[in-house]
Amino acid sequence: MGDSNKYILDESRIPKAWYNINADLPVPPQPVLHPATKQPVTPDFLSVLFPMSLIMQEISTERWVEIPEPVREVYRLWRPTPMYRARRWEKALDTPAHIYYKYEGVSPVGSHKPNTAVAQAYFNKAGGTKGLTTETGAGQWGSALAMACSFFGLGLEVYMVRVSYEQKPYRRIIMQNFGAEVHPSPTDRTTFGRKVLAEDRHCPGSLGIAISEAVEVAATSNGAKKYSLGSVLGHVLMHQTVIGLESLEQMELAGEYPDVVIGCAGGGSNFAGFSFPFLWKNLTAGKKTRIIAVEPAACPSMTKGKYAFDYGDAAATAPIVKMLTLGHTFVPPGIHAGGLRYHGMSPTVSALVDHGDIEARAVRQLATFEAAVHFMKSEGIIPAPESAHAIRAAMDEALECKTNGHRRTIAFNLSGHGHFDMMAFDAYHQGRLEDYDYPEERVKEAMQHLPEVALPGC
Ligand SMILES: *Cc1c(COP(=O)(O)O)cnc(C)c1O
């Protein structure tokens, strides 16, 4: 106990229920709006895209939602995941802080994403869905869902951002190994894809475009296919809470409780999954842990975006939600953390940032890779560039403790390994990585394309 490096739980400690923060939200949830009528959507509208079980989870206010046994059985392949005390890194940083990290890179595809992929595949199968469509950026989400679909016998069609499809073939091949069909987006298979290609034949694609294509295919499949999203939505965040629930127990084993909890945030799912159980203790048990969400300065939805109603996708065909957004017309700069390039942020995380329960922080690309390499030299794990944003923030907190002599306990989520991101590390070592701060003017410009929403009381 006293001088352990890692805290391992037995398989029987895999949580039996997910934590649903809707039960404890300090602010009322905002409605989800129809993209055309701009009025609140009905479960019927959403049921074209999602099975009813997941829609009910989305709107549920029950604090605990039971994890079905077949899902826990798959979780057993890699859960519970380890929690480490970064003793060697603490020494290298010469900090009085205690640093802990939860490691989700031990899953078969190397990130936290299977936690929800397995649950979504299970509930779709149970609801009679034959196949799923989805989008993927660098392929983290696509490979997680491809594995889950193969486990539960579902077909899968993946729309993969074209530039990643061409430059990052490894995860595409993983998806194909699991039996998924992978298309470089924009494609000529959808109305929206053809429209984008007509305007720019060499369009490199974006997550927003790929979402539009995957949604279109599911929505026009006459019920044969449903759509699956790897982040942003409430049920996705909830499935990820197995991370934080295990972490609560592991911190107890370590005999400490975190003063600071940190996660990187793209759509917000690994951050929420790790931090919401700690936030639950803040909201209901008098704990005062600082909860920090970290994003790239190049895609600063939380620190520079506006808290407003916006479309979930580029084509303005997905539902409108209230979130911190850079505008659905946002075209992400080519930074190496592909998983952190979405134009918005999960509505739940956005509401909690807006309300002051969560701190938001942006870090630059070079400082992020510097922290990743520094961490790796002590702890040995090669982090995903996305996860490195959390490492940067943890490092800054630890250095602040050193400067001011604070003995704080810092815990962060290491959302995945970076074994397929070697070209990004290569670019860093060769001095080819650049910092980029997304300009305020571009945010202002994009705000003019937000949907006009007139709702009583909003
Ligand atoms: C996809 C991904 C992210 C970002 O997605 P969130 O939904 O914000 O968690 C972060 N880290 C890794 C390793 C990822 O694959």
Side-chain angles (χ1 to χ4, degrees):
M1 220 177 101
D3 55 359
S4 298
N5 278 288
K6 51 189 180 302
Y7 299 91
I8 309 284
L9 299 173
D10 185 82
E11 279 175 29
S12 67
R13 304 310 305 155
I14 295 172
K16 297 199 165 62
W18 291 297
Y19 169 58
N20 180 10
I21 201 166
N22 286 346
D24 298 308
L25 279 185
V27 281
Q30 298 288 333
V32 174
L33 309 180
H34 190 286
T37 66
K38 303 192 175 73
Q39 290 303 308
V41 295
T42 57
D44 264 3
F45 168 79
L46 291 175
S47 71
V48 174
L49 296 180
F50 304 104
M52 205 43 89
S53 49
L54 292 178
I55 296 170
M56 296 327 270
Q57 288 177 19
E58 192 67 24
I59 56 180
S60 164
T61 53
E62 293 293 319
R63 183 171 292 119
W64 301 103
V65 173
E66 190 189 334
I67 305 177
E69 203 43 47
V71 173
R72 290 184 81 239
E73 189 200 310
V74 176
Y75 280 174
R76 258 179 220 122
L77 290 175
W78 72 93
R79 305 210 71 85
T81 61
M83 166 84 94
Y84 293 91
R85 166 98 182 263
R87 289 181 188 274
R88 292 171 47 82
W89 197 38
E90 287 169 17
K91 277 210 190 77
L93 291 166
D94 189 24
T95 176
H98 289 186
I99 308 176
Y100 291 84
Y101 61 97
K102 177 74 163 164
Y103 187 40
E104 289 294 306
V106 296
S107 85
V109 294
S111 77
H112 65 285
K113 290 202 168 78
N115 297 331
T116 184
V118 169
Q120 291 191 46
Y122 168 80
F123 286 111
N124 269 287
K125 184 71 181 185
T129 307
K130 294 282 175 282
L132 290 175
T133 70
T134 197
E135 71 291 330
T136 196
Q140 291 270 31
W141 169 242
S143 49
L145 193 60
M147 178 184 82
C149 283
S150 87
F151 286 173
F152 288 102
L154 284 169
L156 176 63
E157 226 181 281
V158 183
Y159 289 79
M160 182 173 189
V161 176
R162 179 180 298 271
V163 59
S164 301
Y165 183 97
E166 285 163 3
Q167 292 175 5
K168 300 183 176 173
Y170 297 118
R171 286 210 184 86
R172 165 174 63 76
I173 300 165
I174 295 176
M175 293 183 254
Q176 290 164 336
N177 281 349
F178 280 119
E181 241 182 75
V182 190
H183 307 291
S185 162
T187 70
D188 57 11
R189 302 167 61 87
T190 66
T191 309
F192 184 66
R194 287 189 291 275
K195 179 172 163 244
V196 172
L197 287 173
E199 282 161 19
D200 176 6
R201 210 161 51 82
H202 302 289
C203 176
S206 73
L207 220 43
I209 295 170
I211 293 174
S212 299
E213 291 207 279
V215 166
E216 184 183 323
V217 172
T220 57
S221 71
N222 289 322
K225 288 175 183 166
K226 301 262 186 226
Y227 166 73
S228 167
L229 189 62
S231 187
V232 179
L233 299 177
H235 65 269
V236 180
L237 273 51
M238 185 185 80
H239 297 155
Q240 294 293 353
T241 58
V242 288
I243 306 172
L245 292 169
E246 289 174 5
S247 300
L248 276 174
E249 286 202 25
Q250 286 162 311
M251 291 303 306
E252 207 168 296
L253 281 183
E256 301 209 65
Y257 193 85
D259 301 296
V260 188
V261 158
I262 298 169
C264 68
S269 75
N270 89 85
F271 163 75
F274 181 55
S275 69
F276 280 5
F278 292 99
L279 193 52
W280 167 49
K281 298 287 181 189
N282 280 6
L283 294 169
T284 64
K287 294 286 189 190
K288 297 205 160 45
T289 299
R290 287 170 56 216
I291 314 268
I292 306 177
V294 193
E295 66 185 3
C299 185
S301 55
M302 292 181 293
T303 53
K304 280 193 183 164
K306 187 174 165 189
Y307 187 45
F309 280 98
D310 195 9
Y311 300 100
D313 71 333
T317 51
I320 297 170
V321 291
K322 192 164 186 190
M323 60 180 170
L324 286 157
T325 180
L326 296 166
H328 64 282
T329 52
F330 172 75
V331 179
I335 56 164
H336 281 282
L340 306 182
R341 298 195 304 191
Y342 182 60
H343 67 272
M345 179 52 61
S346 138
T348 313
V349 172
S350 296
L352 291 163
V353 170
D354 184 66
H355 188 253
D357 303 288
I358 294 170
E359 291 174 39
R361 187 179 297 180
V363 296
R364 297 202 173 97
Q365 184 162 247
L366 280 175
T368 297
F369 276 83
E370 182 202 0
V373 170
H374 194 272
F375 170 83
M376 185 189 309
K377 283 178 173 169
S378 298
E379 300 294 317
I381 294 173
I382 302 168
E386 291 86 354
S387 320
H389 289 70
I391 296 178
R392 178 73 244 181
M395 183 163 160
D396 290 340
E397 287 295 318
L399 293 174
E400 195 272 332
C401 286
K402 179 184 175 183
T403 307
N404 297 318
H406 298 310
R407 215 248 66 196
R408 290 201 184 111
T409 299
I410 300 167
F412 71 91
N413 190 37
L414 187 46
S415 51
H417 69 64
H419 295 182
F420 297 114
D421 301 283
M422 287 306 120
M423 299 317 283
F425 283 96
D426 196 39
Y428 170 70
H429 291 305
Q430 293 185 16
R432 286 189 282 111
L433 279 196
E434 283 173 10
D435 278 335
Y436 174 79
D437 283 18
Y438 194 67
E440 294 282 0
E441 311 83 73
R442 295 268 299 277
V443 183
K444 274 206 191 113
E445 204 279 322
M447 291 304 119
Q448 294 169 8
H449 308 293
L450 292 185
E452 277 182 36
V453 170
L455 286 171
C458 291

